[in-house]
Amino acid sequence: AMAGSGKRRGVVDADAGGAEPKRPRPSIKSLITEYAALPLVRNVVVPFLAKRALLDHDRICETVPGVPVEVRVKVPAGGGLKDNCEVLRDEWGVPHVYAANDEDMFYLQGRCHVEDRWFQMETTRRLQSGTIAAFAGEKALSIDKFARAMGWRRLAAQEVAALEEGGEEEREVLQMVRSYVRGVNETIADLTSRGKVPWELSLLKIDVSAPWTPEDVLGIMHVLAFKLSFGFQGPIVKHALIQALGEGIASEWFVSNSIPEGCPPTVSGWHKNATEVIRKMAKQRHAVPELMRPGLGSNAWCIGPGHTAEGVGAILANDPHLDTGIPTFFYESHMCSKGLDGKSREQGLHCAGMSVPGIPGMVLPGHNDHVAWGVTLSMCDVEDVFVELCSSDERDYDARLGFAPFYLHTPEGGDEAIKAAMEVHEHEIEVKGWNDPVTYHSADTRHGPVISRLGHELQTAMDGATAAAASDAGDDSMNFEISYSARHLRADLYKNFVVFLGVLRSKSAVEVRQRFSQLVSPSLNICIADREGNIAYQTSGKVPRRSCRPGEETLPLEGWTWENEWLGDIEGDDLPWRVNPPEGRIVTANHKIIDPNTYTHHLGDLWQDGFRAKTIHDCLDRCGDQVTVRDCEDVQGSSESSSAGLEFVSHYRGVRFDDDAVSRAVREMCAWNGDLSVDSVGAAIYKSVFSYALKGIFDSILAKADLGEAEAEFFKESLRGHGFSSVLKAFNECKSILTGNTLRVLRKGEGTLAERDRRAILRKAAEEGVAFLERRFGADMAGWRWGRLHRLRLQHPLADRLGMADVLNLDFPHCGDSTTPNQATYDLSLGAGGEPCFDIVKSSGAVAACRLVMTPSDWDGSRSCVTCGQSGKWGSRHYTDQEPLFRGSRGKPMVFSRKRVEEACVNIYKFEI
């Protein structure tokens, strides 16, 4: 919702035509000073601050090789610990926490998170609370407005209240969260008193005086659920595509989630103007906040003991793929509350795996003493878009919002729609450099927050579109707004922590499956394997049980009728699950998880192309019944694209070209073996030609409509998978089906392309692709290697701003693409000069954020790594020390037994009461 003019205590708003907040204008002198100071900041200030913030385990500090450095920490009376504890840090910086009770264990988890990821935690905390602009300035104001509109903080406060009023399980969760928060706050106080503040916080002068609270933890859980949920951008893109090109082409491009036969577009008046509305949305898409970018997919599989090498037992492999950056999304830890020896307290917890800084108790992926579990996105549709019919009565108009906060809805069982008031929220947002805070107002319908006015351009577009829609309908009393409904926007995500604690105590694959079936959100695929050799699968996360017909949710829904309401959830054993399938293997890679002919519930149609899943099966098949840990690491690193890549290349076999250079390149591409390795010439030619073929397809499709240049460009970007808003998600659902759709359109007789057009597109793509490679690398094909085009750029959020990309970032060649198990997605748009760019960067790409291969029969035999390192602190030896492991698709030992932990540790911290 748009903000109105502030009238309280001098607070004003810049968005609704009121006076703009006073802010200092930079003088020429200040600009020159800032420019001149940059080398000083880069070469002196940042290195000094970074070095000062390092702790013992960040340095190489063994006085005697093989003998760990021991530090004794006296805990003052009244401190956060109840008993003596230990934290052993291994050579990779992974903390191994040993405590005599659960509260101390979670306290130390909070301490470890802060020691290594304080800056990351602070930015995530500010994201969920909508307070980033307080240190980042005006450019972050849209982020804060979005967070306030989503209401994450309000939901978190309601959930903390529910925990306080709940039963035994809720009290246990609250105790865990409070112990974690106490550990966070006391560690922040300790590090601050010792001058060990991360250089980013010091340089940006970020105020960290506000203590962490349980609301912060619950709010971060909501941000995480938002990042990992899908289902609301596709309907808007599809709606506009129908308007511009007709239902036939829209149905073809969205074939994996096709429009039901006879289902007309909803809200015809609004629909006619949807293109204009979302074209305005598209203008700001490149400014998507880093922390709001979603996950793109993952791989996980579990194999029963009858199909693994002798003595190995069951194996579970997992590599979640998320947006790239430094530090990485995950933080590895090993926690035990069974006593300092790891076994004297039977009722304690013992687990190892990946966690998210800011969230306690969530080990995902990971294992306990008995069971391992891995995770991928299920791609179930848990989000909807509603078109709300609002009042345009001048008496209802609210200048603070820019529209009337009243809408029509039909009560359950009713025949007529009634007028209802939206819930309006007022927010004050501090902005760095501004003298006064901004007053901002958001509104919620019964479906969820109004998202159609999250920026000035959207307000202008909506005003014009709704006026035209009302005119078309012959009723000037009609106005429309767009609301966003999501399963994760309910005040019940605290129940996730009940699930996580139950999983940590589970003793079998069946029990873990049952626990995960009660997860609230996000919607995930869970692969499971236990020490007894059982394997299992569970779709977790509640999915809306919709009253509309299956498929209708892939378009915006009329919000004023009862026919489109959610009627509860698909949950528990109604969600798909399996235990010990006869084939002895379960693979999940974000592809379709059910057979719609035999499964009775509708989970949506957002599945990704199944290329990665097929390749994983093919690779494991080649191993026979003797799969090893090394084999699974090889599959995780596989850059094989035999299904997608070789199908595209097959269109060029037998095609002749007059140009000798093009002919030689096409022959090289046709001889390619389907492996997108960094040294492959054929792979570079294939991906270059594919990019231009995609451009040709879109040009051909959009040529059938009477579109302006801006509208055509919007559709090209949207169909490639771009998100359409600066404050919503970077990707829409087209991203996951792009390659499959392209291949289908190019197949003879299956697409809308005429055969003559198909041949022309392929021929022109080859010529343009080869010309691009010649411009980039010269005429010698030996230099056309995929790794020279396709680089992973792991970026620190301040690197470019400070001119420190060469020291803060990582940049190296990367194999694969979106269709390979070693997934490496990139922006499929044409970049500067109309040429493709294949770099994997945070704004548009994703790679494995961690890799694990776990062996329940011998936990010490498990392997793991993260993308770069455990620490987010530049200068720490653990900042990028795992990069070679990641590049080589190899894991380090994931030690678990006390004996192996002691052998691996280089630092021991003893906390004594």
Side-chain angles (χ1 to χ4, degrees):
M2 292 300 300
S5 299
K7 299 183 184 298
R8 298 174 56 240
R9 300 191 301 279
V11 178
V12 293
D13 192 309
D15 280 339
E20 187 171 293
K22 296 179 180 179
R23 41 189 156 167
R25 299 184 64 176
S27 64
I28 299 297
K29 180 179 179 180
S30 67
L31 292 175
I32 293 174
T33 301
E34 180 180 354
Y35 180 78
L38 194 59
L40 179 66
V41 171
R42 169 197 165 99
N43 298 321
V44 179
V45 177
V46 171
F48 169 76
L49 294 175
K51 183 177 181 180
R52 186 177 67 177
L54 297 181
L55 302 175
D56 289 341
H57 68 272
D58 292 311
R59 305 182 181 93
I60 298 176
C61 54
E62 289 178 305
T63 55
V64 179
V67 178
V69 175
E70 184 175 302
V71 177
R72 294 183 180 272
V73 181
K74 291 296 294 183
V75 179
L81 294 175
K82 294 182 176 181
D83 208 335
N84 293 343
C85 304
E86 290 181 350
V87 176
L88 285 68
R89 295 269 188 169
D90 65 25
E91 61 181 309
W92 303 97
V94 175
H96 303 262
V97 175
Y98 290 91
N101 57 78
D102 296 348
E103 295 95 313
D104 285 354
M105 183 184 76
F106 291 122
Y107 172 98
L108 290 173
Q109 184 183 28
R111 183 180 184 93
C112 294
H113 281 171
V114 172
E115 288 180 341
D116 292 327
R117 302 288 186 89
W118 185 359
F119 176 60
Q120 181 185 34
M121 292 173 66
E122 181 62 25
T123 53
T124 308
R125 173 168 77 143
R126 288 178 172 270
L127 173 60
Q128 59 87 24
S129 62
T131 55
I132 291 183
F135 77 83
E138 181 181 3
K139 64 183 179 181
L141 184 56
S142 61
I143 307 174
D144 286 352
K145 288 182 176 181
F146 177 75
R148 305 294 182 98
M150 289 294 103
W152 291 325
R153 191 70 177 185
R154 291 194 306 274
L155 293 168
Q158 295 171 30
E159 290 172 318
V160 171
L163 288 172
E164 291 173 341
E165 298 169 1
E168 182 178 348
E169 289 183 334
E170 287 77 14
R171 287 194 296 272
E172 183 183 21
V173 168
L174 188 59
Q175 186 179 54
M176 173 188 72
V177 173
R178 285 175 171 166
S179 297
Y180 176 83
V181 166
R182 190 162 56 250
V184 169
N185 288 329
E186 292 189 9
T187 305
I188 287 175
D190 174 48
L191 295 181
T192 302
S193 68
R194 295 159 53 199
K196 300 293 185 179
V197 179
W199 67 265
E200 299 95 335
L201 297 177
S202 298
L203 189 68
L204 298 177
K205 299 180 180 178
I206 298 176
D207 182 4
V208 295
S209 60
W212 276 64
T213 66
E215 286 82 359
D216 291 318
V217 172
L218 271 299
I220 292 173
M221 178 66 77
H222 277 278
V223 173
L224 180 61
F226 170 79
K227 285 168 62 78
L228 300 181
S229 297
F230 293 87
F232 88 94
Q233 292 199 74
I236 298 179
V237 173
K238 185 188 295 185
H239 215 131
L241 192 63
I242 295 172
Q243 173 63 30
L245 302 175
E247 189 171 323
I249 292 178
S251 295
E252 178 181 27
W253 195 255
F254 286 87
V255 70
S256 69
N257 46 3
S258 57
I259 301 169
E261 184 177 351
C263 173
T266 59
V267 201
S268 57
W270 176 86
H271 170 268
K272 184 174 182 179
N273 298 279
T275 301
E276 177 66 12
V277 175
I278 56 180
R279 185 175 66 81
K280 296 286 187 180
M281 286 179 163
K283 285 188 175 182
Q284 299 182 17
R285 64 174 174 265
H286 296 298
V288 179
E290 292 182 355
L291 292 172
M292 289 190 185
R293 292 178 180 126
L296 287 179
S298 308
N299 306 314
W301 61 91
C302 48
I303 307 172
H307 304 272
T308 61
E310 184 177 356
V312 173
I315 295 178
L316 192 148
N318 189 201
D319 50 316
H321 298 173
L322 296 165
D323 54 340
T324 61
I326 294 179
T328 188
F329 182 81
F330 287 113
Y331 181 87
E332 184 177 351
S333 57
H334 168 206
M335 302 187 299
C336 180
S337 62
K338 294 189 172 186
L340 300 190
D341 59 357
K343 60 184 179 182
S344 59
R345 182 172 174 264
E346 180 61 30
Q347 67 270 35
L349 300 173
H350 191 195
C351 57
M354 300 297 165
S355 62
V356 175
I359 300 179
M362 186 181 74
V363 180
L364 192 68
H367 69 81
N368 61 18
D369 281 328
H370 308 278
V371 194
W373 49 89
V375 59
T376 69
L377 296 180
S378 73
M379 307 307 294
C380 292
D381 190 341
V382 296
E383 301 175 326
D384 281 341
V385 172
F386 286 90
V387 181
E388 306 288 2
L389 181 56
C390 302
S391 170
S392 62
D393 189 327
E394 292 183 359
R395 293 169 297 181
D396 294 334
Y397 182 78
D398 189 330
R400 303 172 304 170
L401 295 163
F403 62 92
F406 294 90
Y407 66 107
L408 294 181
H409 78 89
T410 304
E412 182 177 4
D415 296 326
E416 296 184 3
I418 62 174
K419 182 177 176 180
M422 297 182 190
E423 187 176 357
V424 179
H425 308 280
E426 181 175 288
H427 319 272
E428 291 185 6
I429 305 176
E430 299 287 338
V431 182
K432 183 179 181 180
W434 291 18
N435 296 331
D436 298 302
V438 169
T439 297
Y440 167 65
H441 292 85
S442 63
D444 296 343
T445 71
R446 61 177 176 161
H447 297 120
V450 174
I451 63 170
S452 44
R453 295 181 179 252
L454 281 168
H456 180 70
E457 290 186 340
L458 287 186
Q459 182 181 26
T460 303
M462 285 298 298
D463 287 345
T466 55
S471 176
D472 291 342
D475 183 353
D476 61 7
S477 68
M478 297 174 64
N479 272 332
F480 299 103
E481 300 293 336
I482 303 171
S483 67
Y484 165 54
S485 190
R487 185 58 189 81
H488 51 79
L489 286 179
R490 298 183 187 176
D492 59 355
L493 286 196
Y494 69 90
K495 296 178 182 177
N496 281 357
F497 289 108
V498 176
V499 172
F500 296 144
L501 287 174
V503 167
L504 295 182
R505 292 195 172 95
S506 296
K507 296 184 178 181
S508 70
V510 170
E511 189 177 355
V512 167
R513 182 201 73 76
Q514 292 170 339
R515 293 285 188 178
F516 271 118
S517 73
Q518 302 303 312
L519 194 76
V520 176
S521 183
S523 183
L524 306 170
N525 294 316
I526 306 293
C527 281
I528 310 162
D530 67 21
R531 298 189 69 170
E532 304 303 318
N534 300 299
I535 61 174
Y537 165 82
Q538 175 68 51
T539 301
S540 70
K542 299 180 180 182
V543 179
R545 195 184 298 269
R546 296 174 170 90
S547 56
C548 62
R549 290 185 299 168
E552 289 183 340
E553 81 285 349
T554 65
L555 290 168
L557 299 167
E558 294 178 346
W560 54 88
T561 75
W562 182 256
E563 297 174 356
N564 298 320
E565 295 303 307
W566 291 0
L567 304 177
D569 298 310
I570 305 168
E571 58 184 319
D573 285 348
D574 285 342
L575 292 166
W577 60 274
R578 298 187 78 185
V579 174
N580 291 329
E583 57 270 27
R585 179 197 305 165
I586 298 170
V587 172
T588 69
N590 318 114
H591 59 301
K592 185 171 289 189
I593 56 178
I594 49 93
D595 180 351
N597 297 317
T598 59
Y599 183 69
T600 58
H601 302 290
H602 182 64
L603 302 178
D605 293 291
L606 303 180
W607 324 110
Q608 291 192 10
D609 296 326
F611 298 117
R612 283 183 289 117
K614 184 180 185 304
T615 300
I616 291 169
H617 277 296
D618 291 344
C619 291
L620 294 175
D621 285 343
R622 289 195 288 268
C623 297
D625 291 335
Q626 297 296 313
V627 179
T628 65
V629 169
R630 179 59 64 91
D631 291 333
C632 289
E633 289 180 321
D634 289 340
V635 176
Q636 289 177 331
S638 171
S639 53
E640 180 181 328
S641 183
S642 56
S643 296
L646 293 184
E647 178 179 343
F648 178 83
V649 167
S650 69
H651 292 294
Y652 286 92
R653 293 198 171 93
V655 179
R656 298 181 179 276
F657 294 86
D658 295 333
D659 187 284
D660 289 342
V662 177
S663 294
R664 288 195 302 273
V666 169
R667 286 197 299 271
E668 179 73 21
M669 181 176 69
C670 290
W672 173 55
N673 64 359
D675 188 355
L676 284 152
S677 65
V678 293
D679 295 323
S680 174
V681 173
I685 300 171
Y686 152 58
K687 296 305 298 186
S688 300
V689 173
F690 182 91
S691 291
Y692 284 101
L694 185 64
K695 175 182 180 296
I697 290 171
F698 287 151
D699 287 344
S700 177
I701 290 175
L702 297 175
K704 300 175 183 178
D706 183 19
L707 297 175
E709 182 179 348
E711 288 177 326
E713 184 62 24
F714 163 72
F715 280 114
K716 290 177 185 178
E717 297 299 282
S718 295
L719 294 177
R720 285 187 175 97
H722 271 293
F724 49 72
S725 169
S726 63
V727 292
L728 301 178
K729 295 175 183 175
F731 307 112
N732 70 56
E733 289 77 22
C734 294
K735 185 87 169 181
S736 62
I737 56 176
L738 184 59
T739 301
N741 282 343
T742 302
L743 295 175
R744 186 179 57 258
V745 168
L746 290 174
R747 292 176 191 141
K748 293 182 180 180
E750 290 193 27
T752 58
L753 289 179
E755 178 61 18
R756 182 179 61 183
D757 293 338
R758 188 183 72 86
R759 290 198 301 267
I761 287 172
L762 289 169
R763 181 173 291 275
K764 185 179 180 182
E767 293 167 349
E768 292 180 323
V770 172
F772 159 71
L773 289 167
E774 288 179 331
R775 288 192 302 272
R776 186 76 176 268
F777 301 121
D780 184 2
M781 283 198 304
W784 302 0
R785 297 188 301 275
W786 178 228
R788 295 186 70 187
L789 281 173
H790 190 235
R791 300 184 65 84
L792 174 58
R793 303 187 186 278
L794 296 170
Q795 299 172 323
H796 185 283
L798 299 182
D800 291 340
R801 180 176 172 183
L802 298 176
M804 298 182 66
D806 57 328
V807 293
L808 293 179
N809 295 349
L810 281 175
D811 184 334
F812 53 85
H814 199 290
C815 63
D817 69 357
S818 64
T819 70
T820 59
N822 193 350
Q823 184 180 216
T825 61
Y826 55 89
D827 190 341
L828 283 159
S829 301
L830 299 181
E835 294 192 339
C837 177
F838 302 98
D839 289 338
I840 313 157
V841 296
K842 192 173 182 67
S843 61
S844 60
V847 295
C850 67
R851 295 189 180 114
L852 294 87
V853 180
M854 295 175 282
T855 52
S857 64
D858 176 18
W859 295 121
D860 288 329
S862 302
R863 313 288 289 185
S864 65
C865 74
V866 295
T867 312
C868 43
Q870 280 281 102
S871 178
K873 295 184 292 186
W874 177 53
S876 169
R877 61 174 173 154
H878 304 303
Y879 186 65
T880 59
D881 60 337
Q882 294 190 44
E883 177 228 339
L885 297 173
F886 175 81
R887 293 180 65 175
S889 190
R890 290 292 178 257
K892 59 174 183 55
M894 193 176 173
V895 294
F896 191 66
S897 68
R898 177 74 191 203
K899 178 176 182 296
R900 288 293 305 276
V901 169
E902 290 177 351
E903 293 172 352
C905 83
V906 295
N907 298 89
I908 301 177
Y909 296 87
K910 295 194 174 191
F911 296 85
E912 299 175 344
I913 303 299

